Amino acid sequence: EVQLVESGGGLVQPGGSLRLSCVASGFTFSKNEMTWVRQAPGKGLQWVSTISGGGGTTYYADSVKDRFTIVRDNSNSILYLEMRSLRGEDTAFYFCAKDMGRRGYNFDYWGQGTLVTVSS
Amino acid sequence: QSALTQPASVSGSPGQSITLSCTRTNIDGDYNLFSWYQQHPGSAPKLLIFEGSQRPSGISDRFSASQSKYAASLTISGLQAEDEADYFCSVYVGSSASVAFGGGTRLTVL
């Protein structure tokens, strides 16, 4: 059974940093692109970042480029999102999601999400 | 930057069929591969449709979808109370290897 479990969220002050983790199980982690998607409370979904299976290629939304870094540890099946210079607009639930490996991006499994609150 | 527009809300009665729309603006990228997700309150999104009209295993055939180059639609037939949820469309933007999501449609089953 595929499982994705995020952790690392919490309250952080503007300008602060946080690292989110997503522990994956139930599939061959290194074979799938992985993505972070966020959702501000009561709002829609926003794609944040995607990393290739080997970790060598990364993509970012303009709103987080140069502030967030997506990394993966294929040995331990863990996906990370390193966030710095956090802003109020980064407040959201952050979901990690597995791509199903078809054309385009299609996220067939999601974690339960971890809440990041940026506030003083 | 691609943008996807969805109606904010729709409603239907049990047993009815209902169609949700998703319109793409700003031509950007070579791909036009729409996906659809269902999200119940407090839960993670669930993939319903990929590559415009394909259902992942385990998704009811009450969910069907189609797309043109600039728009997509999701039809739910035999509406059930459990279908009450938010529905998001998404499209892959090839030029930036990114994903654009629509704002979501809240479906209410009367």
Side-chain angles (χ1 to χ4, degrees), chain A residues 52-117:
Chain A
S52 61
T57 304
T58 57
Y59 306 97
Y60 298 93
D62 288 343
S63 58
V64 306
K65 200 172 294 183
D66 299 326
R67 298 188 302 122
F68 290 12
T69 303
I70 189 170
V71 181
R72 64 191 299 160
D73 175 359
N74 284 346
S75 297
N76 293 297
S77 299
I78 304 176
L79 175 71
Y80 297 102
L81 185 67
E82 299 172 347
M83 307 183 295
R84 59 185 182 278
S85 301
L86 284 162
R87 308 165 179 167
E89 55 263 38
D90 296 319
T91 294
F93 288 93
Y94 284 73
F95 298 96
C96 67
K98 167 187 168 290
D99 184 75
M100 69 185 305
R102 300 292 293 260
R103 291 184 298 161
Y105 286 158
N106 302 281
F107 310 124
D108 57 350
Y109 288 93
W110 298 63
Q112 83 288 352
T114 186
L115 178 61
V116 173
T117 304

Side-chain angles (χ1 to χ4, degrees), chain A residues 41-53:
Chain A
K43 302 298 184 182
L45 302 172
Q46 182 186 22
W47 173 79
V48 174
S49 180
T50 294
I51 188 167
S52 61

Side-chain angles (χ1 to χ4, degrees), chain A residues 35 37 39 42-48 50 59-62 95 100 102-113, chain B residues 1 31 33-35 37 39 43-47 49-51 54 56 88 90 92 96-103:
Chain A
T35 290
V37 175
Q39 184 173 36
K43 302 298 184 182
L45 302 172
Q46 182 186 22
W47 173 79
V48 174
T50 294
Y59 306 97
Y60 298 93
D62 288 343
F95 298 96
M100 69 185 305
R102 300 292 293 260
R103 291 184 298 161
Y105 286 158
N106 302 281
F107 310 124
D108 57 350
Y109 288 93
W110 298 63
Q112 83 288 352
Chain B
Q1 190 87 20
Y31 287 19
L33 300 171
F34 287 89
S35 303
Y37 297 86
Q39 186 180 32
S43 296
K46 178 182 180 181
L47 180 65
I49 298 288
F50 66 97
E51 290 184 357
Q54 304 300 307
F88 296 92
S90 73
Y92 175 69
S96 58
S98 64
V99 176
F101 286 98

Side-chain angles (χ1 to χ4, degrees), chain B residues 27 62 90 106-107:
Chain B
I27 300 170
R62 296 190 300 106
S90 73
R106 167 121 340 146
L107 170 61

Side-chain angles (χ1 to χ4, degrees), chain B residues 1-5 23-34 68-71 91-96 98 100:
Chain B
Q1 190 87 20
S2 291
L4 299 179
T5 301
T23 303
R24 179 176 182 173
T25 59
N26 301 333
I27 300 170
D28 185 4
D30 298 328
Y31 287 19
N32 288 284
L33 300 171
F34 287 89
S68 63
K69 191 172 182 181
Y70 305 120
V91 70
Y92 175 69
V93 183
S95 60
S96 58
S98 64

